[in-house]
């Protein structure tokens, strides 16, 4: 047994030389002096020896164990010193610029939306919000859409299966239902804008199934269409830095009477200088969206007396506004999620 002990010790010392890492060192320790290690195995045989043999072998065993432990500790210190030396010896180039985490930027639509909110806020408008999943009633009926109006068709509107509380639900097709929400249970004056995402079953180069609008609503005693025009001129002055002319073209929307398409004088024509303006294609006008005087039926749906109050409303596309601000040619680029495109915008 003494021979075996000595042989194991030699085997251990030989293996120790080849150990290069702390983990390997630990494994080696386990295989010799761990619970199931070979040296530990020998000590378990002590009981079978005579008293004298046990004394002698026990002594040897302890000596060898001590040597093994000392060798392990020594090698561990060596490995640690070597690692530390490697670390200290590493050459850092202190003239390199520091690594910065990548910085995100705002989406062009968010930038445009914030700019619009900021401008209208300064003009005295509150910001109102409504849910994306809207009561069909607020999206259509209360806005004076008749039950058979084509806009209600499933081809144009995303209908939500879940009829919570027995009510028909849709993804709102415009921000106009926020008009209903901001008038319900409230006495005018109401002066709000409602920016947000809207949804329609459209998908091509100029239409996305998800896009953004900003709604405006002003209701009080004696409000006229002249206020609408004046407010819009004031808006263009604040937003584009100079007052632009506003043009109203008769049009139809169920929730306004009279209704109008609202155009603004093209703010980019000047840039063209002699050639045809690429933004308005030489028309001189840019269509912003729809507008009009709030229909009495809408007032009745929300409990506002149309004999006492009048009001105007408008709804514009924000995406188009962002495309104008940044000269983005294709609507879809804005929703592709390509960071090479998105990185181009500063805020
Ligand atoms: N909601 C209409 C649409 O999405 C736009 C609109 C037209 C909004 C006239 C208005 C308005 O507030 O008065 O097509």
């Amino acid at each position: 047994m003494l021979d075996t002990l000595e042989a194991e010790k030699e085997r251990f010392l030989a293996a120790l030389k080849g150990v290069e890492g702390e983990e390997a060192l630990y494994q080696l320790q386990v295989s010799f002096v761990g619970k199931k290690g070979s040296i530990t195995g020998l000590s378990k045989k002590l009981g079978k020896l005579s008293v004298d043999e046990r004394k002698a072998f026990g002594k040897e065993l302890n000596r060898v164990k001590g040597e093994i432990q000392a060798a392990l500790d020594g090698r561990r210190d060596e490995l640690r010193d070597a690692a530390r030396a490697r670390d200290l010896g590493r050459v850092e180039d202190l003239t390199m610029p520091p690594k910065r985490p990548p910085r995100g930027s705002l989406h062009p639509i968010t930038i445009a939306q914030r700019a619009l909110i900021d401008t209208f806020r300064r003009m005295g408008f509150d910001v109102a919000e409504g849910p994306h999943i809207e009561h069909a009633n607020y999206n259509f009926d209360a806005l004076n859409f008749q039950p058979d109006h084509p806009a209600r068709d499933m081809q144009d509107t995303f209908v939500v299966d879940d009829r919570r509380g027995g009510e028909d639900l849709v993804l709102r097709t415009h921000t106009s239902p926020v008009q209903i929400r901001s008038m319900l249970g409230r006495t005018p004056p109401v002066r709000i804008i409602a920016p947000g995402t809207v949804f329609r079953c459209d998908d091509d180069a100029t239409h996305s199934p998800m896009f953004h609008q900003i709604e405006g609503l002003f209701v009080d005693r004696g409000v006229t269409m002249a206020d609408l025009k004046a407010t819009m001129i004031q808006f263009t002055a604040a937003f584009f830095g100079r007052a632009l002319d506003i043009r109203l073209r008769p049009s139809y929307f169920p929730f306004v009477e009279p209704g109008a398409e609202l155009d603004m004088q093209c703010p980019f024509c000047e840039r063209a200088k002699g050639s045809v303006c690429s933004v308005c294609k030489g028309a001189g006008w840019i269509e912003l969206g729809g507008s009009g005087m709030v229909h009495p039926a809408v007032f009745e749906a929300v409990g506002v007396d149309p004999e006492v109050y009048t009001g105007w409303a408008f709804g514009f596309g924000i995406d188009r506004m962002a495309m104008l601000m940044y000269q983005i040619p294709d609507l879809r680029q804005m929703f592709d999620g390509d960071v090479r495109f998105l990185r181009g915008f500063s805020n």
Side-chain angles (χ1 to χ4, degrees):
M1 266 184 33
L2 274 175
D3 289 348
T4 321
L5 181 61
E6 203 55 36
E8 278 307 292
K9 185 182 100 180
E10 291 308 321
R11 204 164 66 80
F12 167 80
L13 290 173
L16 188 65
K17 281 191 193 136
V19 165
E20 279 308 334
E22 288 209 37
E23 174 60 24
L25 188 68
Y26 176 73
Q27 293 305 334
L28 187 70
Q29 177 174 10
V30 169
S31 65
F32 282 86
V33 291
K35 262 192 193 149
K36 293 180 181 161
S38 57
I39 305 271
T40 315
L42 289 174
S43 62
K44 283 184 187 147
K45 293 183 179 150
L46 273 174
K48 290 185 188 141
L49 301 175
S50 70
V51 177
D52 285 348
E53 281 173 333
R54 195 185 307 163
K55 250 190 188 165
F57 186 67
K59 212 172 141 195
E60 281 308 296
L61 196 63
N62 282 337
R63 182 180 58 77
V64 169
K65 274 189 180 168
E67 278 177 32
I68 287 181
Q69 193 55 51
L72 281 169
D73 291 346
R75 185 78 186 123
R76 183 169 293 123
D77 286 348
E78 270 172 33
L79 289 173
R80 286 197 179 150
D81 287 349
R84 192 170 305 142
R86 267 199 307 279
D87 201 28
L88 287 173
R90 213 176 52 212
V91 179
E92 295 281 5
D93 182 353
L94 297 178
T95 64
M96 289 286 278
K99 285 190 191 121
R100 283 175 222 266
R103 190 165 178 266
S105 59
L106 293 179
H107 192 280
I109 290 178
T110 307
I111 301 174
Q113 183 165 310
R114 287 191 183 179
L116 289 166
I117 290 175
D118 190 53
T119 306
F120 280 110
R121 269 234 178 95
R122 280 186 282 134
M123 291 167 64
F125 287 78
D126 286 333
V127 177
E129 277 183 318
H132 293 167
I133 300 176
E134 183 58 280
H135 297 295
N137 178 28
Y138 290 181
N139 194 82
F140 296 120
D141 304 73
L143 287 167
N144 197 35
F145 283 80
Q146 298 306 306
D148 54 355
H149 193 283
R152 305 185 74 132
D153 201 284
M154 306 251 298
Q155 239 121 48
D156 291 325
T157 305
F158 293 104
V159 178
V160 179
D161 271 347
D162 184 356
R163 301 178 74 240
R164 209 143 305 165
E167 297 229 34
D168 286 336
L169 296 173
V170 296
L171 294 191
R172 66 178 180 185
T173 61
H174 50 179
T175 44
S176 302
V178 187
Q179 289 190 31
I180 303 301
R181 290 178 173 272
S182 46
M183 285 192 285
L184 268 176
R186 209 176 298 162
T187 316
V190 171
R191 193 196 278 122
I192 57 113
I193 50 158
T197 311
V198 301
F199 309 86
R200 285 183 208 172
C201 300
D202 273 335
D203 200 6
D204 59 42
T206 51
H207 296 91
S208 153
M210 184 272 312
F211 58 106
H212 302 82
Q213 288 188 333
I214 182 165
E215 194 80 11
L217 175 70
F218 176 38
V219 180
D220 203 350
R221 291 169 200 261
V223 173
T224 71
M225 217 152 176
D227 295 321
L228 169 64
K229 190 165 178 179
T231 304
M232 291 327 294
I233 292 173
Q234 197 190 338
F235 158 73
T236 61
F239 197 77
F240 294 100
R242 67 195 168 98
L244 299 167
D245 207 359
I246 291 291
R247 180 171 80 169
L248 294 162
R249 281 179 292 125
S251 185
Y252 175 75
F253 303 95
F255 41 94
V256 281
E257 179 57 36
E261 299 289 346
L262 202 151
D263 304 335
M264 91 182 156
Q265 189 193 334
C266 176
F268 304 103
C269 275
E270 275 181 358
R271 282 195 211 156
K273 282 197 193 108
S275 58
V276 175
C277 170
S278 64
V279 179
C280 69
K281 309 272 181 287
W285 296 96
I286 290 175
E287 187 180 318
L288 285 179
S291 65
M293 297 301 292
V294 178
H295 197 291
V298 174
F299 280 142
E300 266 153 29
V302 293
V304 168
D305 187 348
E307 295 299 325
V308 180
Y309 295 103
T310 51
W312 51 250
F314 66 77
F316 301 157
I318 296 181
D319 313 65
R320 183 107 56 86
M321 200 65 106
M323 290 169 77
L324 290 179
M325 280 166 69
Y326 293 107
Q327 311 250 299
I328 300 166
D330 187 339
L331 177 75
R332 284 177 295 194
Q333 280 183 299
M334 291 200 287
F335 307 124
D336 280 348
D338 186 334
V339 289
R340 288 169 304 181
F341 167 77
L342 294 173
R343 262 203 295 265
F345 303 93
S346 53
N347 39 82

